[in-house]
Amino acid sequence: MTTHAVKNPWERFGWLMAVVWLVFLIYPVMALLRSRAEAHWMVIGWTAITAFAVLYVIGFIRGMADGNAVGDPPRKGQWIIFAALIACAVVSVPAEGGSALSFLPFIMSFASYGLTRPWHWITTITSLAVTAATVLFAPEGRSYASVLAIIAMVGVVNTVSTWLIIRSAQAEALGRELATSEGREAVARDVHDLVGHSLTVVRLKAQLARRLMDSDPERAKEELAAIEELTAEAIAGVRSTVAGARVAALAEQLAASREALQAADIDVRVSGEPDALSPSQALTSGWILREATTNVLRHARASIVSVSIAPGRFEVHDDGVGSGGREGNGVRGMRERAAAAGAAFSVRSDAGTHVEVTW
């Protein structure tokens, strides 16, 4: 089955804007109708105005094709069209006289939106200079003062609008860059939490297996099997985290934390049920519990860990030595996760470490 890309509506119908603006070519057309120039100049004038209209619309459509935006490098063909537009205006002068200045707003806009920023300024300044010289020095030049005012207004509008468009595009690009950076930080934090916790548990179980190797070989084999299972679990977790697909359930993390802490001879007491939290709150709480468990196993030297779950509240408390006011990567990671979930996070080191998350 053949599929077709859906075009942006601006790309599909934006050419209508170019066609609508061509109504202002009525001024050179009226000048040609009143002109008393020789026949060959009249033919050149009518040919030039027709070619100008066609080239302007073609250049406008080409400029919008494939999502091309203001400030992007123009296609090579755009420069040829730009030169041809100027040539059409110049060869119209013998038949139209000063009314050929009416081509300049179109040429200015083409340079502003379809070419580079330097050429916007070159075209705008040149158009103003040519029109001002015509008003000041040409016979009956004062009659073109209104054209000078229009060209000045078009120059200001083009300058401001293109500047805003370019700044908007730059802001959008910066936003994408920041989002990418934040996404990388989130993945790094997920991997740190997951791998840090898993490696801590693996280390404890490996130490236990080594102690049991001679006295209780069967139990040592069980611990080694558990290490193998944990390693496979960690690898799968890292892969799914990098893919953005990992969702850790709080109930599963409670069970995993209980097993890891009890293996280190730490008593675990849980009050409340995971169902008391919403799915998004439970997800955040699961990650925070994982990191808190890792911190207890590494640093706390605790004997009891209490987990409390209530609507809008999640707490982990241990009776260990506390952190002494220091905030490592683990606590910073928990704080960032809570902030991303719209929760308030606090950690206290009074009679152990007390981590609290509230929504």
Side-chain angles (χ1 to χ4, degrees), residues 57-301:
V57 174
I58 290 174
F60 199 94
I61 294 173
R62 281 174 55 87
M64 294 185 302
D66 300 326
N68 215 39
V70 175
D72 291 345
R75 298 181 175 184
K76 293 181 180 179
Q78 295 297 90
W79 294 103
I80 297 175
I81 293 175
F82 180 64
L85 291 175
I86 296 174
C88 288
V90 170
V91 298
S92 297
V93 172
E96 299 172 13
S99 294
L101 294 172
S102 299
F103 289 110
L104 292 180
F106 294 93
I107 295 173
M108 290 166 59
S109 297
F110 189 92
S112 298
Y113 295 96
L115 300 180
T116 63
R117 196 65 175 169
W119 274 96
H120 155 77
W121 289 112
I122 292 171
T123 308
T124 299
I125 294 171
T126 302
S127 298
L128 285 169
V130 170
T131 308
T134 302
V135 171
L136 293 174
F137 304 114
E140 301 181 356
R142 292 180 181 272
S143 61
Y144 300 111
S146 60
V147 178
L148 177 61
I150 291 172
I151 288 176
M153 181 181 67
V154 170
V156 172
V157 170
N158 288 346
T159 299
V160 173
S161 61
T162 52
W163 180 81
L164 290 173
I165 291 171
I166 292 171
R167 287 298 298 269
S168 176
Q170 291 172 342
E172 185 177 348
L174 180 59
R176 288 195 299 267
E177 185 177 337
L178 289 174
T180 301
S181 176
E182 290 173 359
R184 288 172 178 168
E185 289 179 2
V187 170
R189 187 170 60 242
D190 290 351
V191 172
H192 168 269
D193 293 351
L194 184 66
V195 174
H197 170 79
S198 299
L199 291 179
T200 299
V201 177
V202 165
R203 177 172 174 269
L204 290 170
K205 286 187 173 293
Q207 291 173 344
L208 179 60
R210 185 176 60 185
R211 290 198 302 267
L212 295 172
M213 193 69 71
D214 296 326
S215 59
D216 192 347
E218 291 301 320
R219 175 74 187 282
K221 288 180 181 179
E222 292 177 6
E223 294 298 331
L224 290 173
I227 290 173
E228 183 178 358
E229 183 178 344
L230 278 169
T231 305
E233 198 176 286
I235 293 171
V238 170
R239 287 174 176 169
S240 58
T241 297
V242 173
R246 180 172 179 82
V247 177
L250 177 57
E252 294 175 0
Q253 185 56 50
L254 277 169
S257 293
R258 185 191 299 273
E259 180 181 351
L261 291 167
Q262 288 178 342
D265 294 324
I266 300 173
D267 186 24
V268 181
R269 302 172 183 176
V270 180
S271 63
E273 296 294 333
D275 293 342
L277 299 176
S278 70
S280 61
Q281 293 171 350
L283 177 61
T284 302
S285 299
W287 278 113
I288 289 176
L289 175 59
R290 174 185 289 274
E291 184 59 38
T293 301
T294 302
N295 289 344
V296 170
L297 292 172
R298 285 178 174 173
H299 316 297
R301 298 201 294 275

Side-chain angles (χ1 to χ4, degrees), residues 280-357:
S280 61
Q281 293 171 350
L283 177 61
T284 302
S285 299
W287 278 113
I288 289 176
L289 175 59
R290 174 185 289 274
E291 184 59 38
T293 301
T294 302
N295 289 344
V296 170
L297 292 172
R298 285 178 174 173
H299 316 297
R301 298 201 294 275
S303 58
I304 300 173
V305 171
S306 300
V307 179
S308 177
I309 308 169
R313 183 181 299 274
F314 180 77
E315 299 174 73
V316 181
H317 179 257
D318 67 72
D319 63 349
V321 297
S323 63
R326 297 184 304 275
E327 185 170 303
N329 291 331
V331 174
R332 281 197 295 271
M334 288 190 280
R335 191 181 300 280
E336 290 170 3
R337 288 186 182 281
F345 176 84
S346 66
V347 57
R348 303 190 303 274
S349 294
D350 46 353
T353 301
H354 190 124
V355 174
E356 181 178 1
V357 185

